[in-house]
């Protein structure tokens, strides 16, 4: 294993983007990254010994956000394919946390569930072929967001009213192939089976996306784990499998080869464990990964340990040979 530094500017460090990284993809000159506490995404350029020279892009400059430019979008997945950059929000509800400084109000806060509309987006931004700068794009959101298609789903509908960290619906990974969009669900996990949604998406005009055909569901035997991220790996997909609840581990990378025109259950013997990942206790939670052009795998961590924070204001990612 090697490590590489991702260096962020003062504004991103102040908003804690560097300690809340949730998604990563390679660009022609560096990395696209996103945290789950803002309504923005970032580009880091390879400088020769670290990724830096950060550029920040506000989502509201490229798509119509249902709750406006300030509310967080909880971006949990990035994909770069076919000349586009894709971003997906968690599509999850949020339960308030118990505050250590105010435990008496803990039961009251635990009874409060919040819906934040900017979380319910699937966006596609064209990339300039010369500069790879994002252009105005299209989004599936608002009254036409993906969960509206799941209201009558026999497997997923019962979980739409549950917060993501309570095994409710929680999208945390996206992988795009030439004609398919795959969304990996951290939750729900159904009797140990994780769920991946397969979509075909088309432009609906006026900055909107829509499904071009009914979605399909795949149920993967990840032995009780959910999908924390996804990325293409040739004709296969790599899945970052980790706990759906508020637990530290285990976390592993699994290879899956989707079969054309086939949905349904994917037994454990059709999944290859590629890598067992390190994780910390209360820290260093593997959250995003990307297969690099040289075939190595880069992993970024949510809640990084102090050992990962660099003096220059960066954070260390792990790079594995697989």
């Amino acid at each position: 294993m090697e490590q590489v530094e991702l260096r962020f500017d003062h504004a991103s460090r102040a908003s804690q983007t560097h300690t809340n990284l949730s998604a990563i993809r390679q660009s022609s000159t560096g990395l696209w990254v996103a945290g789950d506490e803002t309504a923005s995404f970032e580009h880091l350029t390879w400088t020769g010994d670290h990724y830096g020279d950060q550029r920040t892009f506000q989502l509201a400059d490229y798509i119509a956000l249902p709750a406006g430019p300030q509310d967080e979008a909880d971006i949990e997945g990035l994909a770069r394919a076919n000349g586009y950059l894709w971003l997906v929000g968690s599509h999850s509800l949020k339960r308030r946390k118990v505050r250590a400084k105010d435990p008496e109000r803990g039961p009251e806060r635990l009874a409060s569930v919040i819906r934040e509309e900017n979380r319910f987006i699937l966006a596609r931004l064209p990339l300039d072929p010369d500069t790879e700068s994002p252009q105005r794009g299209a989004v599936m959101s608002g009254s036409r967001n993906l969960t509206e298609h799941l209201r009558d789903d026999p497997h997923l509908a019962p979980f739409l009213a549950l917060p993501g960290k309570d095994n409710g619906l929680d999208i945390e990974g996206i992988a795009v192939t030439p004609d398919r969009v795959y969304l990996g669900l951290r939750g729900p996990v159904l009797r140990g089976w994780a769920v991946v949604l397969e979509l075909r998406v088309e432009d609906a005009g006026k900055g909107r996306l829509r499904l071009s055909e009914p979605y399909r569901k795949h149920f993967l035997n990840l032995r009780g784990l959910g999908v924390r991220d996804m990325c293409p790996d040739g004709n296969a997909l790599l899945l970052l499998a980790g706990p759906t609840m508020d637990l530290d581990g285990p976390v592993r990378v699994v290879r899956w080869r989707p079969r054309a025109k086939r949905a349904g259950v994917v037994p454990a013997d059709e999944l290859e464990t590629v890598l067992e990942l390190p994780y910390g206790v209360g820290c260093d939670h593997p959250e995003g990964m990307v297969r690099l052009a040289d075939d190595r795998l880069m992993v970024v961590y949510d809640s990084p340990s102090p050992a990962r924070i660099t003096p220059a204001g960066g954070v260390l990612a792990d790079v594995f040979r697989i």
Side-chain angles (χ1 to χ4, degrees), residues 123-172:
R124 187 187 69 182
L125 310 182
L127 295 172
D128 183 280
D130 297 320
T131 65
E132 205 166 327
S133 298
Q135 311 296 308
R136 187 78 183 178
V139 64
M140 186 184 300
S141 64
S143 61
R144 301 177 181 176
N145 80 75
L146 180 60
T147 62
E148 295 304 313
H149 296 273
L150 304 177
R151 294 294 176 192
D152 297 319
D153 187 278
H155 300 101
L156 300 178
F159 297 90
L160 297 181
L162 293 175
K165 302 304 183 288
D166 294 358
N167 201 38
L169 183 78
D170 190 0
I171 298 172
E172 290 219 359

Short mmCIF file of all heavy atoms in Angstrom, two decimals, residues 123-172:
data_model
loop_
_atom_site.label_atom_id
_atom_site.label_comp_id
_atom_site.label_asym_id
_atom_site.label_seq_id
_atom_site.Cartn_x
_atom_site.Cartn_y
_atom_site.Cartn_z
N ALA A 123 -27.54 13.96 -11.12
CA ALA A 123 -27.16 15.02 -12.05
C ALA A 123 -26.16 14.52 -13.07
O ALA A 123 -25.33 13.65 -12.77
CB ALA A 123 -26.58 16.22 -11.29
N ARG A 124 -26.23 15.09 -14.27
CA ARG A 124 -25.30 14.76 -15.35
C ARG A 124 -24.81 16.06 -15.99
O ARG A 124 -25.60 16.83 -16.53
CB ARG A 124 -25.99 13.89 -16.40
CG ARG A 124 -25.07 13.36 -17.49
CD ARG A 124 -25.86 12.65 -18.57
NE ARG A 124 -26.67 13.59 -19.35
CZ ARG A 124 -27.49 13.23 -20.34
NH1 ARG A 124 -27.63 11.94 -20.64
NH2 ARG A 124 -28.17 14.13 -21.01
N LEU A 125 -23.50 16.30 -15.91
CA LEU A 125 -22.91 17.54 -16.41
C LEU A 125 -21.99 17.23 -17.58
O LEU A 125 -21.05 16.43 -17.44
CB LEU A 125 -22.11 18.25 -15.31
CG LEU A 125 -22.79 18.46 -13.96
CD1 LEU A 125 -21.85 19.22 -13.03
CD2 LEU A 125 -24.11 19.17 -14.10
N PRO A 126 -22.19 17.87 -18.74
CA PRO A 126 -21.23 17.69 -19.83
C PRO A 126 -19.87 18.26 -19.45
O PRO A 126 -19.78 19.27 -18.74
CB PRO A 126 -21.85 18.49 -20.98
CG PRO A 126 -23.26 18.76 -20.58
CD PRO A 126 -23.30 18.77 -19.10
N LEU A 127 -18.81 17.60 -19.91
CA LEU A 127 -17.45 18.07 -19.68
C LEU A 127 -16.86 18.57 -21.00
O LEU A 127 -16.96 17.88 -22.03
CB LEU A 127 -16.57 16.95 -19.13
CG LEU A 127 -16.95 16.44 -17.74
CD1 LEU A 127 -16.12 15.20 -17.39
CD2 LEU A 127 -16.77 17.51 -16.68
N ASP A 128 -16.29 19.77 -20.97
CA ASP A 128 -15.65 20.31 -22.16
C ASP A 128 -14.56 19.34 -22.63
O ASP A 128 -13.70 18.93 -21.84
CB ASP A 128 -15.03 21.68 -21.85
CG ASP A 128 -14.42 22.33 -23.07
OD1 ASP A 128 -13.29 21.94 -23.43
OD2 ASP A 128 -15.06 23.21 -23.66
N PRO A 129 -14.57 18.93 -23.89
CA PRO A 129 -13.62 17.91 -24.35
C PRO A 129 -12.17 18.36 -24.30
O PRO A 129 -11.26 17.52 -24.26
CB PRO A 129 -14.06 17.61 -25.78
CG PRO A 129 -14.86 18.81 -26.20
CD PRO A 129 -15.51 19.32 -24.96
N ASP A 130 -11.91 19.66 -24.29
CA ASP A 130 -10.53 20.16 -24.26
C ASP A 130 -10.05 20.46 -22.85
O ASP A 130 -8.94 20.09 -22.46
CB ASP A 130 -10.42 21.42 -25.13
CG ASP A 130 -10.71 21.14 -26.59
OD1 ASP A 130 -10.27 20.08 -27.10
OD2 ASP A 130 -11.38 21.97 -27.24
N THR A 131 -10.89 21.14 -22.06
CA THR A 131 -10.48 21.57 -20.72
C THR A 131 -11.06 20.70 -19.61
O THR A 131 -10.63 20.81 -18.47
CB THR A 131 -10.92 23.01 -20.48
OG1 THR A 131 -12.36 23.08 -20.46
CG2 THR A 131 -10.39 23.93 -21.57
N GLU A 132 -12.04 19.88 -19.94
CA GLU A 132 -12.79 19.06 -18.97
C GLU A 132 -13.51 19.93 -17.93
O GLU A 132 -13.88 19.46 -16.86
CB GLU A 132 -11.90 18.03 -18.28
CG GLU A 132 -12.72 16.84 -17.78
CD GLU A 132 -11.90 15.62 -17.38
OE1 GLU A 132 -10.85 15.39 -18.00
OE2 GLU A 132 -12.33 14.91 -16.47
N SER A 133 -13.75 21.17 -18.23
CA SER A 133 -14.55 22.01 -17.34
C SER A 133 -16.01 21.60 -17.45
O SER A 133 -16.51 21.34 -18.56
CB SER A 133 -14.40 23.49 -17.71
OG SER A 133 -13.07 23.91 -17.55
N PRO A 134 -16.73 21.54 -16.33
CA PRO A 134 -18.15 21.17 -16.40
C PRO A 134 -18.99 22.26 -17.04
O PRO A 134 -18.69 23.46 -16.91
CB PRO A 134 -18.53 20.95 -14.94
CG PRO A 134 -17.54 21.76 -14.16
CD PRO A 134 -16.27 21.75 -14.95
N GLN A 135 -20.04 21.85 -17.72
CA GLN A 135 -20.98 22.76 -18.37
C GLN A 135 -22.36 22.58 -17.73
O GLN A 135 -22.60 21.65 -16.98
CB GLN A 135 -21.05 22.48 -19.87
CG GLN A 135 -19.70 22.38 -20.56
CD GLN A 135 -18.93 23.67 -20.53
OE1 GLN A 135 -19.44 24.71 -20.91
NE2 GLN A 135 -17.68 23.62 -20.07
N ARG A 136 -23.26 23.51 -18.06
CA ARG A 136 -24.63 23.40 -17.56
C ARG A 136 -25.21 22.05 -17.95
O ARG A 136 -25.08 21.62 -19.10
CB ARG A 136 -25.48 24.53 -18.14
CG ARG A 136 -26.88 24.64 -17.57
CD ARG A 136 -26.90 25.31 -16.22
NE ARG A 136 -28.25 25.34 -15.64
CZ ARG A 136 -28.52 25.83 -14.46
NH1 ARG A 136 -27.55 26.35 -13.71
NH2 ARG A 136 -29.75 25.83 -13.99
N GLY A 137 -25.83 21.35 -17.00
CA GLY A 137 -26.30 20.00 -17.25
C GLY A 137 -27.76 19.79 -16.93
O GLY A 137 -28.57 20.72 -16.96
N ALA A 138 -28.11 18.57 -16.59
CA ALA A 138 -29.50 18.17 -16.35
C ALA A 138 -29.56 17.35 -15.07
O ALA A 138 -28.58 16.75 -14.64
CB ALA A 138 -30.05 17.38 -17.53
N VAL A 139 -30.77 17.30 -14.48
CA VAL A 139 -30.91 16.66 -13.18
C VAL A 139 -32.27 15.98 -13.07
O VAL A 139 -33.26 16.42 -13.67
CB VAL A 139 -30.75 17.72 -12.05
CG1 VAL A 139 -31.85 18.77 -12.11
CG2 VAL A 139 -30.70 17.07 -10.67
N MET A 140 -32.29 14.88 -12.35
CA MET A 140 -33.53 14.25 -11.93
C MET A 140 -33.72 14.61 -10.46
O MET A 140 -32.91 14.24 -9.61
CB MET A 140 -33.45 12.73 -12.11
CG MET A 140 -34.75 11.98 -11.83
SD MET A 140 -34.53 10.17 -11.95
CE MET A 140 -33.97 10.01 -13.64
N SER A 141 -34.78 15.36 -10.14
CA SER A 141 -34.93 15.88 -8.78
C SER A 141 -36.39 16.29 -8.56
O SER A 141 -37.25 16.10 -9.42
CB SER A 141 -34.01 17.09 -8.56
OG SER A 141 -34.39 18.18 -9.40
N GLY A 142 -36.63 16.87 -7.37
CA GLY A 142 -37.96 17.40 -7.07
C GLY A 142 -39.03 16.33 -7.14
O GLY A 142 -38.84 15.20 -6.68
N SER A 143 -40.15 16.68 -7.73
CA SER A 143 -41.29 15.76 -7.79
C SER A 143 -41.03 14.58 -8.73
O SER A 143 -41.81 13.62 -8.76
CB SER A 143 -42.55 16.50 -8.25
OG SER A 143 -42.37 17.05 -9.55
N ARG A 144 -39.93 14.64 -9.50
CA ARG A 144 -39.59 13.55 -10.42
C ARG A 144 -38.33 12.81 -9.98
O ARG A 144 -37.69 12.14 -10.79
CB ARG A 144 -39.42 14.10 -11.83
CG ARG A 144 -40.67 14.79 -12.37
CD ARG A 144 -40.44 15.39 -13.73
NE ARG A 144 -41.63 16.08 -14.22
CZ ARG A 144 -41.68 16.76 -15.37
NH1 ARG A 144 -40.61 16.83 -16.14
NH2 ARG A 144 -42.80 17.36 -15.74
N ASN A 145 -37.95 12.95 -8.72
CA ASN A 145 -36.73 12.30 -8.27
C ASN A 145 -36.91 10.79 -8.24
O ASN A 145 -38.02 10.26 -8.32
CB ASN A 145 -36.28 12.87 -6.92
CG ASN A 145 -37.03 12.28 -5.75
OD1 ASN A 145 -36.81 11.14 -5.33
ND2 ASN A 145 -37.96 13.05 -5.22
N LEU A 146 -35.79 10.09 -8.09
CA LEU A 146 -35.80 8.63 -8.23
C LEU A 146 -36.73 7.94 -7.24
O LEU A 146 -37.36 6.93 -7.56
CB LEU A 146 -34.38 8.10 -8.06
CG LEU A 146 -34.19 6.60 -8.17
CD1 LEU A 146 -34.63 6.09 -9.54
CD2 LEU A 146 -32.73 6.22 -7.90
N THR A 147 -36.86 8.47 -6.03
CA THR A 147 -37.69 7.79 -5.04
C THR A 147 -39.16 7.75 -5.45
O THR A 147 -39.90 6.87 -5.00
CB THR A 147 -37.58 8.46 -3.65
OG1 THR A 147 -38.03 9.81 -3.72
CG2 THR A 147 -36.15 8.42 -3.15
N GLU A 148 -39.58 8.68 -6.31
CA GLU A 148 -40.96 8.64 -6.79
C GLU A 148 -41.23 7.38 -7.60
O GLU A 148 -42.36 6.89 -7.64
CB GLU A 148 -41.27 9.89 -7.62
CG GLU A 148 -41.23 11.19 -6.82
CD GLU A 148 -42.15 11.16 -5.61
OE1 GLU A 148 -43.33 10.75 -5.77
OE2 GLU A 148 -41.70 11.52 -4.52
N HIS A 149 -40.20 6.85 -8.24
CA HIS A 149 -40.35 5.60 -9.00
C HIS A 149 -40.36 4.38 -8.07
O HIS A 149 -40.70 3.28 -8.52
CB HIS A 149 -39.20 5.46 -10.00
CG HIS A 149 -39.20 6.51 -11.06
ND1 HIS A 149 -39.92 6.40 -12.23
CD2 HIS A 149 -38.56 7.71 -11.12
CE1 HIS A 149 -39.73 7.48 -12.98
NE2 HIS A 149 -38.90 8.28 -12.33
N LEU A 150 -39.98 4.59 -6.81
CA LEU A 150 -39.88 3.46 -5.88
C LEU A 150 -41.07 3.38 -4.92
O LEU A 150 -41.09 2.50 -4.05
CB LEU A 150 -38.59 3.59 -5.05
CG LEU A 150 -37.28 3.68 -5.83
CD1 LEU A 150 -36.11 3.89 -4.87
CD2 LEU A 150 -37.05 2.45 -6.70
N ARG A 151 -42.04 4.27 -5.06
CA ARG A 151 -43.15 4.34 -4.10
C ARG A 151 -43.93 3.04 -3.98
O ARG A 151 -44.46 2.73 -2.91
CB ARG A 151 -44.11 5.48 -4.48
CG ARG A 151 -43.51 6.87 -4.36
CD ARG A 151 -43.20 7.21 -2.92
NE ARG A 151 -42.53 8.51 -2.80
CZ ARG A 151 -41.96 8.94 -1.69
NH1 ARG A 151 -41.95 8.18 -0.62
NH2 ARG A 151 -41.38 10.11 -1.66
N ASP A 152 -44.02 2.29 -5.06
CA ASP A 152 -44.77 1.04 -5.03
C ASP A 152 -43.87 -0.18 -5.14
O ASP A 152 -44.36 -1.29 -5.39
CB ASP A 152 -45.80 1.03 -6.17
CG ASP A 152 -46.83 2.14 -6.03
OD1 ASP A 152 -47.28 2.38 -4.89
OD2 ASP A 152 -47.16 2.78 -7.05
N ASP A 153 -42.58 0.01 -4.95
CA ASP A 153 -41.66 -1.11 -5.08
C ASP A 153 -41.82 -2.06 -3.90
O ASP A 153 -41.77 -1.63 -2.74
CB ASP A 153 -40.21 -0.60 -5.14
CG ASP A 153 -39.23 -1.70 -5.45
OD1 ASP A 153 -38.85 -2.45 -4.52
OD2 ASP A 153 -38.86 -1.83 -6.62
N PRO A 154 -42.02 -3.35 -4.15
CA PRO A 154 -42.29 -4.27 -3.04
C PRO A 154 -41.10 -4.46 -2.09
O PRO A 154 -41.29 -4.82 -0.93
CB PRO A 154 -42.62 -5.59 -3.74
CG PRO A 154 -41.98 -5.47 -5.09
CD PRO A 154 -42.07 -4.03 -5.46
N HIS A 155 -39.89 -4.20 -2.57
CA HIS A 155 -38.72 -4.36 -1.72
C HIS A 155 -38.30 -3.05 -1.04
O HIS A 155 -37.92 -3.04 0.13
CB HIS A 155 -37.52 -4.89 -2.53
CG HIS A 155 -37.76 -6.22 -3.15
ND1 HIS A 155 -38.08 -6.37 -4.48
CD2 HIS A 155 -37.72 -7.47 -2.63
CE1 HIS A 155 -38.23 -7.65 -4.76
NE2 HIS A 155 -38.02 -8.35 -3.66
N LEU A 156 -38.36 -1.94 -1.77
CA LEU A 156 -37.75 -0.71 -1.30
C LEU A 156 -38.74 0.31 -0.73
O LEU A 156 -38.36 1.13 0.11
CB LEU A 156 -36.95 -0.06 -2.43
CG LEU A 156 -35.82 -0.92 -3.01
CD1 LEU A 156 -35.13 -0.20 -4.16
CD2 LEU A 156 -34.82 -1.30 -1.93
N ALA A 157 -39.99 0.25 -1.16
CA ALA A 157 -40.97 1.23 -0.68
C ALA A 157 -41.08 1.27 0.85
O ALA A 157 -41.17 2.36 1.43
CB ALA A 157 -42.33 0.97 -1.32
N PRO A 158 -41.08 0.12 1.56
CA PRO A 158 -41.21 0.19 3.02
C PRO A 158 -40.06 0.93 3.71
O PRO A 158 -40.21 1.32 4.87
CB PRO A 158 -41.22 -1.29 3.43
CG PRO A 158 -41.68 -2.03 2.22
CD PRO A 158 -41.09 -1.27 1.08
N PHE A 159 -38.94 1.15 3.00
CA PHE A 159 -37.77 1.77 3.62
C PHE A 159 -37.63 3.25 3.29
O PHE A 159 -36.72 3.91 3.78
CB PHE A 159 -36.50 1.03 3.18
CG PHE A 159 -36.47 -0.40 3.64
CD1 PHE A 159 -37.00 -1.41 2.85
CD2 PHE A 159 -35.93 -0.74 4.87
CE1 PHE A 159 -36.99 -2.73 3.27
CE2 PHE A 159 -35.90 -2.06 5.30
CZ PHE A 159 -36.44 -3.05 4.50
N LEU A 160 -38.54 3.79 2.48
CA LEU A 160 -38.42 5.20 2.09
C LEU A 160 -38.67 6.15 3.25
O LEU A 160 -38.17 7.28 3.23
CB LEU A 160 -39.40 5.51 0.94
CG LEU A 160 -39.18 4.75 -0.37
CD1 LEU A 160 -40.20 5.18 -1.41
CD2 LEU A 160 -37.76 4.95 -0.89
N ALA A 161 -39.42 5.73 4.24
CA ALA A 161 -39.72 6.60 5.38
C ALA A 161 -38.69 6.48 6.50
O ALA A 161 -38.80 7.18 7.51
CB ALA A 161 -41.11 6.28 5.93
N LEU A 162 -37.69 5.61 6.32
CA LEU A 162 -36.66 5.42 7.33
C LEU A 162 -35.42 6.23 6.99
O LEU A 162 -35.03 6.31 5.82
CB LEU A 162 -36.28 3.95 7.44
CG LEU A 162 -37.33 2.98 7.97
CD1 LEU A 162 -36.79 1.56 7.88
CD2 LEU A 162 -37.72 3.33 9.39
N PRO A 163 -34.76 6.84 7.97
CA PRO A 163 -33.49 7.52 7.71
C PRO A 163 -32.44 6.54 7.19
O PRO A 163 -32.47 5.33 7.48
CB PRO A 163 -33.09 8.08 9.08
CG PRO A 163 -34.38 8.19 9.83
CD PRO A 163 -35.21 7.04 9.36
N GLY A 164 -31.50 7.08 6.43
CA GLY A 164 -30.49 6.22 5.83
C GLY A 164 -29.70 5.43 6.84
O GLY A 164 -29.40 4.25 6.62
N LYS A 165 -29.35 6.04 7.97
CA LYS A 165 -28.54 5.34 8.96
C LYS A 165 -29.37 4.38 9.80
O LYS A 165 -28.85 3.72 10.70
CB LYS A 165 -27.83 6.35 9.87
CG LYS A 165 -26.94 7.34 9.13
CD LYS A 165 -25.89 6.63 8.28
CE LYS A 165 -24.96 7.61 7.60
NZ LYS A 165 -25.59 8.36 6.49
N ASP A 166 -30.67 4.27 9.52
CA ASP A 166 -31.55 3.30 10.19
C ASP A 166 -31.92 2.15 9.25
O ASP A 166 -32.96 1.52 9.40
CB ASP A 166 -32.84 3.99 10.65
CG ASP A 166 -32.62 5.01 11.74
OD1 ASP A 166 -31.46 5.17 12.18
OD2 ASP A 166 -33.60 5.65 12.16
N ASN A 167 -31.06 1.88 8.26
CA ASN A 167 -31.30 0.89 7.21
C ASN A 167 -32.38 1.35 6.23
O ASN A 167 -32.98 0.53 5.52
CB ASN A 167 -31.65 -0.50 7.76
CG ASN A 167 -31.40 -1.61 6.74
OD1 ASN A 167 -30.43 -1.58 5.99
ND2 ASN A 167 -32.29 -2.59 6.71
N GLY A 168 -32.62 2.66 6.19
CA GLY A 168 -33.50 3.21 5.18
C GLY A 168 -32.78 3.35 3.86
O GLY A 168 -31.59 3.03 3.72
N LEU A 169 -33.49 3.85 2.85
CA LEU A 169 -32.89 4.03 1.54
C LEU A 169 -31.71 5.00 1.65
O LEU A 169 -31.83 6.08 2.22
CB LEU A 169 -33.91 4.58 0.55
CG LEU A 169 -33.38 4.74 -0.88
CD1 LEU A 169 -33.33 3.39 -1.58
CD2 LEU A 169 -34.20 5.73 -1.69
N ASP A 170 -30.57 4.61 1.07
CA ASP A 170 -29.36 5.42 1.16
C ASP A 170 -28.46 5.06 -0.02
O ASP A 170 -27.81 4.01 -0.02
CB ASP A 170 -28.65 5.16 2.49
CG ASP A 170 -27.52 6.13 2.77
OD1 ASP A 170 -27.27 7.01 1.93
OD2 ASP A 170 -26.88 6.01 3.83
N ILE A 171 -28.43 5.91 -1.05
CA ILE A 171 -27.59 5.68 -2.22
C ILE A 171 -26.20 6.20 -1.93
O ILE A 171 -26.04 7.36 -1.57
CB ILE A 171 -28.19 6.37 -3.47
CG1 ILE A 171 -29.56 5.80 -3.80
CG2 ILE A 171 -27.24 6.22 -4.66
CD1 ILE A 171 -30.28 6.56 -4.90
N GLU A 172 -25.18 5.34 -2.12
CA GLU A 172 -23.82 5.78 -1.81
C GLU A 172 -22.81 5.48 -2.90
O GLU A 172 -21.64 5.78 -2.75
CB GLU A 172 -23.35 5.17 -0.49
CG GLU A 172 -24.07 5.74 0.71
CD GLU A 172 -23.17 5.96 1.91
OE1 GLU A 172 -21.97 5.65 1.83
OE2 GLU A 172 -23.68 6.44 2.93
#
